[in-house]
Amino acid sequence: MGSRSWERRELAFILVYAACFYTYIIHRSLKLSHDYHEMLRGLRPGWLAGRLNDVSDAQWRNVRGNLPVLTTVFGAFTLIAVSLRGMYHLKASGMSIVWLLTSLIYLLYLHGACVIFILLISSLNYVLVKVFARTKYFSLVLWTFNVFFLICNRVYEGYSFSALGDRWVYLDNFRGTFRWHICFNFVTLRMISFGYDYHWACQSSCFDEEKHIQHCSVCKSGRTCYLLLQERSLQSDKFFFSIYLCYLFYAPLYIAGPIISFNAFASQLDLPQNTHSTKDVVFYGLRWVFSLLLIELMTHFFHFNAFALSGLWKQLSAVDVFIIGYGVLNFMWLKFLLVWRYFRFWSLINGIESPENMPKCINNCYNLEGFWKNWHASYNKWLVRYMYIPLGGSRTKLFNVWVIFTFVAVWHDLEWKLLSWAWLTCLFFVPEMLLKSAASGFQVENAFGKFVFRELSAVAGAVTITCLMVANLVGFVIGPSGINWLISRFLHKEGLPVLGGMFFTFYLGTKLMFHIRDAKQSIHRRNTVQS
């Protein structure tokens, strides 16, 4: 009873502290946004309470501005696809043609004549996969080809038709409304997914479907989970060129994902997803509308991103730099949540389930591994399946992390600040992996030992969150050139108390996450016993 009483008092103290912390953060953020609004770039007249709206983030500004057009396009896309499927009882080959034709119209609007480049590279990849899939050189050929074009697309900014000769120059006037080589990053991931899934289909499968169904609560209920869709092998007719192109260009997931494996996509062409009911999908859409209102409220009252882009953070105190950095990370999380869930929503309506990105709030992650599993979750699944496991999995984890995060940085863009972010993340990742490996063999029996272990885990969580803050500030706010400034600001006389306060806050935040985790586990155990 004494232990449980202490835990309740600890939780009460943490909740009171959290309320005070966020009250101060909100108050200070409002004051900063008000005092500096005339010097911030990217603010536009808003629609809420006569306030200025922070639309300084180009990605969010484009998505927000094009929501009416995108909704109209996807509404028409859905109406056509669902009607034809119902009228003619179309299966994989038929639906792939329908979705491919409608998606190509969508691509022509986005990229104009540059669709030629997309089709050319995609076709070459298909040929290479078919030729080399059964050879020992397959992985080398597939990765060399895709990384080569990933880099060349960026270096040459999507190429110019004038390079092909004077007779093609006029096509440069019809390049569409959206740069094709930006979207092609996602196409690259899909081309690699198709290649490996076909390569593994040519070999004997080691996936035990019956054993999986026995242990999976979703599959036992008569539905089909994503893991089963991804892991079970497909028949050879699912690897036709039309289905391959349909997978690469499937309109709802084309621009930003979420990323889905070829196996999972092709499996749902015959039988649309049955994991989510119509009621679930409608509720999912309503939650998205609520999140949209939340980010509108945020950008009208808190101009975090404008501070980061305007460079005004250099004029702020250490505590204000922390507030801006923390605000930018929360803005980024909410922005990506909206983008990814919007496209996933339309995919679900069309019967294709993709992994959920952002399954957990950014403020409920206390280790690096958990953070990356829950940030771009579908990308994490892709990296595990097509990089981490082929590179050796847990046996070579300390090496794998450097290769994978370097690829992630290059995949995002060819910028030094992103490589700095990737290598900083690896630098922070390695100690965590070593500590977790050591802790896994550490058994605690008595109450005092459990208390000490929990406290040390909370301190480790605080260190991890601090490292995440630093890595993401370098990658997305101050850049590598600002590292020395950041260190000098926080190790200065004024900055040390702020650093201590940050660490204490993250320590308490980690303990709050422990309480949330324990409550969920308790509910799960109770439900298991009752069932």
Side-chain angles (χ1 to χ4, degrees):
M1 287 295 292
S3 174
R4 300 188 72 175
S5 176
W6 161 253
E7 287 179 1
R8 285 196 294 269
R9 285 198 293 268
E10 179 189 66
L11 179 59
F13 171 75
I14 293 172
L15 291 174
V16 170
Y17 182 89
C20 295
F21 171 77
Y22 281 108
T23 299
Y24 175 75
I25 292 290
I26 291 170
H27 169 75
R28 188 62 189 161
S29 299
L30 287 170
K31 183 168 176 42
L32 286 170
S33 298
H34 176 269
D35 292 348
Y36 289 90
H37 73 273
E38 293 182 353
M39 292 180 278
L40 296 176
R41 300 200 309 265
L43 302 185
R44 300 290 184 271
W47 58 270
L48 187 59
R51 299 186 66 89
L52 293 173
N53 189 16
D54 182 357
V55 289
S56 57
D57 184 89
Q59 191 177 44
W60 173 243
R61 184 171 64 248
N62 289 333
V63 171
R64 181 179 181 270
N66 285 293
L67 276 176
V69 175
L70 286 170
T71 303
T72 302
V73 169
F74 290 140
F77 177 93
T78 302
L79 183 63
I80 294 170
V82 172
S83 299
L84 290 175
R85 188 202 288 268
M87 290 170 59
Y88 299 104
H89 306 289
L90 298 176
K91 296 296 183 180
S93 58
M95 285 309 301
S96 66
I97 297 297
V98 171
W99 277 334
L100 177 57
L101 292 176
T102 52
S103 296
L104 283 174
I105 294 171
Y106 179 55
L107 261 67
L108 283 169
Y109 166 75
L110 289 176
H111 308 311
C114 294
V115 170
I116 295 171
F117 294 127
I118 299 172
L119 288 172
L120 181 61
I121 298 172
S122 302
S123 300
L124 285 172
N125 182 77
Y126 184 82
V127 172
L128 287 175
V129 168
K130 289 289 185 174
V131 170
F132 290 95
R134 292 178 172 83
T135 71
K136 62 181 180 180
Y137 305 108
F138 171 74
S139 291
L140 177 63
V141 171
L142 183 69
W143 278 103
T144 301
F145 177 83
N146 280 279
V147 172
F148 173 79
F149 276 105
L150 184 67
I151 294 173
C152 286
N153 292 347
R154 285 289 183 153
V155 170
Y156 295 102
E157 290 292 321
Y159 315 111
S160 172
F161 284 102
S162 60
L164 303 176
D166 293 339
R167 68 172 64 181
W168 304 103
V169 172
Y170 73 98
L171 290 177
D172 283 323
N173 298 319
F174 304 98
R175 299 186 70 91
T177 60
F178 203 87
R179 292 177 296 169
W180 73 272
H181 57 283
I182 304 298
C183 294
F184 201 81
N185 285 12
F186 284 95
V187 176
T188 298
L189 301 183
R190 296 181 195 119
M191 292 196 302
I192 293 172
S193 174
F194 171 82
Y196 270 113
D197 285 359
Y198 180 70
H199 171 66
W200 291 326
C202 296
Q203 305 169 358
S204 57
S205 174
C206 59
F207 179 68
D208 191 335
E209 186 173 334
E210 291 185 6
K211 183 178 179 181
H212 169 80
I213 293 174
Q214 291 174 0
H215 293 87
C216 176
S217 59
V218 175
C219 294
K220 281 195 294 187
S221 67
R223 296 172 293 169
T224 308
C225 76
Y226 181 82
L227 182 62
L228 180 59
L229 293 172
Q230 175 177 269
E231 295 298 333
R232 64 183 177 190
S233 296
L234 299 174
Q235 299 297 320
S236 59
D237 62 345
K238 292 294 192 299
F239 294 95
F240 287 167
F241 188 57
S242 60
I243 296 178
Y244 164 73
L245 290 181
C246 173
Y247 167 62
L248 297 189
F249 308 145
Y250 177 61
L253 303 181
Y254 174 74
I255 291 179
I259 301 158
I260 181 173
S261 71
F262 177 81
N263 277 359
F265 178 84
S267 297
Q268 297 176 85
L269 290 176
D270 281 332
L271 297 172
Q273 67 85 22
N274 60 3
T275 308
H276 306 276
S277 65
T278 302
K279 181 181 177 181
D280 293 336
V281 176
V282 170
F283 184 65
Y284 188 82
L286 292 175
R287 287 175 59 196
W288 183 88
V289 172
F290 174 77
S291 300
L292 177 64
L293 294 175
L294 191 61
I295 199 172
E296 286 294 303
L297 188 68
M298 184 180 189
T299 55
H300 276 79
F301 285 88
F302 310 113
H303 305 149
F304 298 124
N305 200 69
F307 268 101
L309 292 182
S310 301
L312 288 177
W313 46 269
K314 293 180 179 179
Q315 304 175 22
L316 302 179
S317 64
V319 68
D320 289 339
V321 171
F322 162 71
I323 290 171
I324 295 302
Y326 182 69
V328 168
L329 291 181
N330 278 272
F331 165 76
M332 287 173 58
W333 176 81
L334 189 54
K335 174 190 73 172
F336 286 125
L337 178 140
L338 280 161
V339 172
W340 285 325
R341 290 195 178 183
Y342 177 80
F343 293 119
R344 184 173 185 263
F345 170 73
W346 283 107
S347 185
L348 283 172
I349 291 177
N350 282 277
I352 301 292
E353 179 191 6
S354 62
E356 176 75 280
N357 288 328
M358 308 292 200
K360 287 176 65 175
C361 177
I362 187 177
N363 296 303
N364 192 20
C365 294
Y366 56 86
N367 60 60
L368 283 166
E369 185 176 359
F371 176 82
W372 290 115
K373 280 184 178 179
N374 292 290
W375 180 266
H376 199 167
S378 65
Y379 193 17
N380 179 76
K381 291 178 185 294
W382 186 96
L383 291 168
V384 170
R385 180 171 170 82
Y386 301 111
M387 288 193 74
Y388 179 73
I389 294 175
L391 282 171
S394 58
R395 292 181 291 105
T396 54
K397 183 184 285 188
L398 293 178
F399 166 75
N400 291 349
V401 68
W402 294 92
V403 178
I404 290 170
F405 272 96
T406 299
F407 172 77
V408 169
V410 172
W411 179 81
H412 276 90
D413 206 348
L414 297 177
E415 292 185 8
W416 277 113
K417 72 175 185 179
L418 287 174
L419 285 171
S420 301
W421 159 81
W423 294 334
L424 268 176
T425 301
C426 293
L427 203 61
F428 299 145
F429 223 132
V430 170
E432 179 182 294
M433 289 189 291
L434 293 173
L435 285 172
K436 288 179 75 173
S437 178
S440 63
F442 183 67
Q443 298 294 326
V444 181
E445 299 295 336
N446 57 53
F448 178 73
K450 291 180 180 178
F451 170 78
V452 172
F453 185 75
R454 189 180 178 93
E455 292 300 307
L456 290 175
S457 298
V459 171
V463 172
T464 299
I465 296 170
T466 303
C467 293
L468 272 171
M469 284 280 294
V470 171
N472 284 287
L473 280 172
V474 171
F476 300 101
V477 180
I478 63 176
S481 61
I483 295 177
N484 291 333
W485 178 91
L486 188 68
I487 293 173
S488 64
R489 180 56 64 97
F490 278 97
L491 295 183
H492 192 264
K493 183 179 180 180
E494 178 202 357
L496 284 173
V498 176
L499 192 61
M502 282 172 51
F503 192 84
F504 181 67
T505 300
F506 295 151
Y507 162 79
L508 290 181
T510 304
K511 300 200 81 174
L512 178 59
M513 296 178 218
F514 290 166
H515 282 284
I516 295 171
R517 180 197 62 193
D518 294 343
K520 287 182 177 180
Q521 290 175 350
S522 177
I523 294 171
H524 177 71
R525 284 195 299 268
R526 189 160 57 246
N527 292 338
T528 303
V529 171
Q530 290 175 354
S531 61

